[in-house]
């Protein structure tokens, strides 16, 4: 650390200290529902929305929510029954909620499955042992050995994002205290997000053109 500190001091002193002005950016957040096609037979299907735009805030409970949604519902419906190679569910600190599939032979069926996540969550009723397994799986993603390089990257990110140790502990406590009732309570949030109908598909030309009516626009990415 001392060697790093000595070198860092010289580096920091050489940085530009001129004042800068923030530049505001405006992004068009209107859902485009694009279908991007190529000469293939499988799709990547993603349906997303930012739950913070609906008035919800991130909680450590969402680590368990994503794991439960992926393993207990989407995996069976989309991977095992639907034949997709990849299935994913995520809820991030910036508010982004996403359900997705990769190398998926289906399209509309997968979008329909995403719309059924809310009903699955509302009826979620595991026993104590099952709930503990979900929590342990989420904790393993929070606390695990990493190299010094990764430690530095994590510390750097937390410093510049303003994430404090108290906030990290709050998330950890929320993960550990998650109950089945908490998971059921997320049903309405997911339902609201899915009804915003914001999705994109990258896949085979034949499949996307066969479902042209689902999309706001379709476009080739073969050239």
């Amino acid at each position: 650390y001392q060697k790093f500190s000595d070198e860092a001091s010289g580096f920091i002193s050489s940085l530009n200290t001129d004042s800068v002005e923030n530049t505001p950016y405006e992004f068009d957040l209107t859902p485009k529902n694009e279908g991007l096609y190529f000469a293939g037979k499988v799709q990547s299907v993603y349906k997303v929305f930012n739950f913070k735009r609906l008035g919800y805030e991130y909680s450590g409970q969402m680590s368990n929510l994503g794991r439960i949604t992926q393993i207990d519902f989407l995996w069976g419906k989309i991977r095992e029954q639907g034949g997709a190679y990849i299935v994913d569910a995520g809820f991030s600190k910036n508010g982004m909620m996403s359900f997705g599939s990769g190398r998926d032979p289906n399209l509309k069926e997968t979008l329909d499955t995403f719309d059924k996540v809310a009903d699955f969550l509302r009826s979620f009723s595991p026993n104590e042992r099952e709930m503990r397994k979900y929590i342990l799986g989420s904790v393993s993603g929070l606390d695990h050995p990493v190299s010094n390089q990764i430690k530095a990257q994590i510390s750097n990110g937390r410093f510049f994002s303003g994430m404090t140790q108290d906030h990290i502990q709050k998330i950890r406590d929320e993960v550990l205290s998650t109950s089945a009732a908490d998971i059921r309570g997320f049903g309405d949030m997911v339902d609201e997000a899915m009804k915003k109908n914001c999705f994109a598909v990258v896949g085979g030309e034949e499949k996307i053109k066969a479902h042209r009516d689902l999309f706001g626009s379709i476009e080739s990415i073969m050239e």
Side-chain angles (χ1 to χ4, degrees):
Y1 177 81
Q2 190 59 50
K3 289 179 64 176
F4 167 80
S5 180
D6 293 341
E7 295 295 329
S9 298
F11 170 72
I12 292 170
S13 65
S14 69
L15 294 175
N16 192 321
T17 58
D18 293 345
S19 60
V20 296
E21 294 183 4
N22 289 331
T23 301
Y25 289 92
E26 296 292 336
F27 296 99
D28 180 10
L29 300 179
T30 304
K32 295 182 178 180
N33 294 353
E34 295 175 302
L36 306 174
Y37 62 82
F38 56 88
K41 297 293 184 181
V42 292
Q43 285 63 240
S44 289
V45 183
Y46 272 83
K47 193 166 187 181
V48 305
F49 201 76
N50 193 306
F51 55 79
K52 289 188 175 182
R53 293 176 63 191
L54 300 173
Y56 297 94
E57 292 298 326
Y58 179 80
S59 164
Q61 296 170 348
M62 292 182 181
S63 292
N64 295 313
L65 175 63
R67 179 175 293 274
I68 289 165
T69 300
Q70 179 175 338
I71 295 174
D72 244 27
F73 186 70
L74 296 182
W75 182 271
K77 297 292 185 180
I78 295 175
R79 173 83 163 93
E80 295 179 350
Q81 296 179 26
Y85 187 74
I86 298 169
V87 62
D88 179 59
F91 299 82
S92 67
K93 295 180 180 66
N94 66 7
M96 188 56 65
M97 181 188 80
S98 65
F99 301 144
S101 69
R103 294 175 63 181
D104 189 343
N106 299 307
L107 195 162
K108 185 179 185 301
E109 297 85 349
T110 296
L111 290 171
D112 289 343
T113 299
F114 294 155
D115 290 339
K116 295 174 183 176
V117 171
D119 289 337
F120 159 74
L121 295 175
R122 288 172 178 142
S123 63
F124 182 68
S125 57
N127 59 41
E128 184 178 344
R129 182 175 180 274
E130 290 170 335
M131 193 67 215
R132 190 181 301 117
K133 285 172 60 179
Y134 291 125
I135 292 173
L136 289 174
S138 296
V139 170
S140 69
L142 295 175
D143 299 307
H144 56 272
V146 295
S147 67
N148 287 334
Q149 179 183 356
I150 300 301
K151 284 181 182 179
Q153 291 175 351
I154 293 172
S155 297
N156 202 43
R158 288 174 178 174
F159 175 79
F160 285 108
S161 65
M163 182 175 288
T164 65
Q165 187 59 43
D166 287 343
H167 182 67
I168 295 167
Q169 187 59 50
K170 178 177 180 292
I171 291 175
R172 185 179 289 110
D173 291 341
E174 288 169 345
V175 170
L176 291 169
S177 64
T178 304
S179 67
D182 292 326
I183 300 300
R184 290 193 292 271
F186 285 113
D188 289 347
M189 179 189 78
V190 171
D191 192 26
E192 289 181 56
M194 290 295 97
K195 286 178 178 176
K196 294 297 182 180
N197 209 37
C198 184
F199 63 87
V201 178
V202 179
E205 180 177 4
E206 181 179 345
K207 182 74 72 170
I208 286 179
K209 286 186 174 180
H211 295 88
R212 184 188 297 269
D213 59 314
L214 294 177
F215 298 99
S217 65
I218 63 172
E219 182 179 352
S220 170
I221 56 173
M222 291 187 287
E223 298 178 358

